[in-house]
Amino acid sequence: MTLPMVVPDQDLPPRVRIHEVGARDGLQNEKSTVPTEVKAEFVRRLADAGLTTIEATSFVHPKWVPQLADAEQLFPRISDLPVDLPVLVPNERGLDRALALGARRVAVFASATESFAKANLNRTVDEALAMFEPVVGRAKAEGGHVRGYLSMCFGDPWEGAVPVAQVVRVCRALVDMGCDELSLGDTIGVATPGHVSALLTELNEAGVPTTSLGVHFHDTYGQALANTLAALRHGVTTVDASAGGLGGCPYAKSATGNLATEDLVWMLQGLGIDTGVDLGRLVATSVWMADHLGRPSPSRTVRALSHQEQ
Ligand code: HMG
Ligand code: MG
């Protein structure tokens, strides 16, 4: 298999942790619901490819996201894997469901804009934060690890460009609540590298440590890799990506797939940055999943490397 030539860049971190979201952000947006056995096999293959943080599913209302309504059936089938399997929980009901299955890594998901808070959580921004407060408190008291997602950090389909100060305020609230890490979401993929840089600089100045930040780029306008590189230059070492570029968001119609994990791994390998991921196994997994979904992966790297094998 072709691999990129390695030319390290001394200004970048030596290692990046990939937070794989294909099984959650990817599959939540599929028109058809993928059978539980196929999801379990997908997560197992991702672990086998070397991914160590694999977001597994969401304990949300099944009517809101029917594609993930099998969370109770899926989680026990994969919980033996020696990897972190974070799950999304919007409220205490979701947390109860996750804790009952032994999940200890959870993620709440806030919005920087009122429109998306309403569409995604049926709450205002501040009502959603109030809903998360007991979730974070109880998860931490159980010895858990809490990620705080923040959606619409750059642009919003209803409100347009999102002021940086608005994003910083909600980030601060999530950190003050006790979240261990934040993930900055470009839910509809409109960010460009200068905007990413500006937000990271403001967050730094507001006292949010870069070490607690991850980035979550959707690739609608083909900017996800460029935005990732801008974030790495700021010292970010956690990057969300989705195998094969699966993804989107059911409550933000203009969102397309996440940054493809394969495209990310190709770039990081070329930069000499360690991820622990076996690119060949990952590509094979995405080709296998694309067959199940009945359409080719949108990832350029998956296409290039799988065509080579034929
Ligand atoms: P609501 O209708 O306001 O719910 O929805 P409620 O609190 O009024 O409760 C209504 C009923 O739902 C009650 O049942 C609750 O028990 C039940 P009843 O008493 O009427 O029989 N209920 C639940 N059942 C199961 N599990 C639960 C749960 N919660 C309540 N957890 C709610 C509010 C938050 C529940 C709803 O809006 C919801 O589930 N939203 C989830 C939306 C979602 O998952 N979106 C995708 C993830 S976010 C994303 O993709 C962005 C991200 O990738 C980053 C980025 O790209 O920006 C993370
Ligand atoms: Mg997303």
Side-chain angles (χ1 to χ4, degrees):
M1 189 180 74
T2 308
L3 289 173
M5 193 167 88
V6 179
V7 184
D9 180 332
Q10 301 309 323
D11 293 337
L12 296 176
R15 191 177 162 79
V16 159
R17 183 174 64 89
I18 299 178
H19 183 108
E20 168 61 45
V21 297
R24 194 280 303 171
D25 208 350
L27 298 186
Q28 77 179 7
N29 206 41
E30 282 303 313
K31 285 198 178 62
S32 58
T33 299
V34 173
T36 310
E37 294 73 39
V38 176
K39 290 178 182 170
E41 173 77 13
F42 184 41
V43 172
R44 287 188 177 280
R45 284 178 177 241
L46 293 170
D48 191 47
L51 288 152
T52 53
T53 306
I54 305 173
E55 202 166 270
T57 187
S58 299
F59 291 90
V60 296
H61 196 295
K63 282 198 190 126
W64 284 65
V65 186
Q67 295 90 334
L68 304 184
D70 63 349
E72 262 81 8
Q73 288 73 48
L74 175 64
F75 196 82
R77 288 177 198 231
I78 52 176
S79 54
D80 61 308
L81 286 168
V83 298
D84 290 333
L85 295 168
V87 295
L88 263 58
V89 293
N91 52 18
E92 288 195 88
R93 173 95 173 79
L95 181 69
D96 290 340
R97 292 173 57 201
L99 290 177
L101 294 171
R104 289 293 178 277
R105 291 184 86 94
V106 298
V108 294
F109 43 105
S111 170
T113 65
E114 292 297 342
S115 304
F116 188 64
K118 184 74 189 157
N120 200 40
L121 294 161
N122 196 25
R123 301 283 186 281
T124 65
V125 169
D126 288 338
E127 283 168 355
L129 290 171
M131 178 166 76
F132 300 147
E133 191 131 21
V135 176
V136 177
R138 282 182 51 207
K140 298 288 295 173
E142 294 281 341
H145 178 278
V146 184
R147 161 175 262 226
Y149 273 109
L150 184 58
S151 288
M152 304 298 174
C153 287
F154 301 93
D156 172 287
W158 301 277
E159 299 180 20
V162 180
V164 169
Q166 198 170 314
V167 180
V168 173
R169 179 185 84 84
V170 188
C171 280
R172 254 289 26 123
L174 289 168
V175 170
D176 293 345
M177 207 182 275
C179 288
D180 298 289
E181 68 170 7
L182 301 186
S183 172
L184 305 172
D186 182 17
T187 320
I188 56 170
V190 291
T192 47
H195 198 164
V196 172
S197 240
L199 176 58
L200 290 169
T201 303
E202 288 288 322
L203 283 170
N204 248 205
E205 280 165 16
V208 178
T210 306
T211 48
S212 70
L213 294 176
V215 286
H216 179 104
F217 295 120
H218 286 259
D219 206 24
T220 321
Y221 293 90
Q223 304 297 299
L225 264 186
N227 291 337
T228 300
L229 189 55
L232 297 179
R233 290 209 186 283
H234 269 262
V236 168
T237 56
T238 299
V239 180
D240 298 4
S242 154
L246 296 169
C249 178
Y251 294 102
K253 290 299 171 215
S254 44
T256 59
N258 293 78
L259 167 61
T261 313
E262 290 85 352
D263 297 5
L264 173 65
V265 171
W266 178 274
M267 179 179 82
L268 296 177
Q269 279 197 6
L271 287 163
I273 297 174
D274 181 25
T275 62
V277 173
D278 179 319
L279 189 54
R281 283 188 192 177
L282 187 58
V283 168
T285 299
S286 291
V287 170
W288 169 85
M289 185 45 101
D291 282 348
H292 273 285
L293 296 172
R295 54 178 172 72
S297 160
S299 158
R300 305 291 286 267
T301 301
V302 170
R303 287 185 186 202
L305 294 178
S306 55
H307 286 150
Q308 247 171 30
E309 280 163 15
Q310 282 164 9

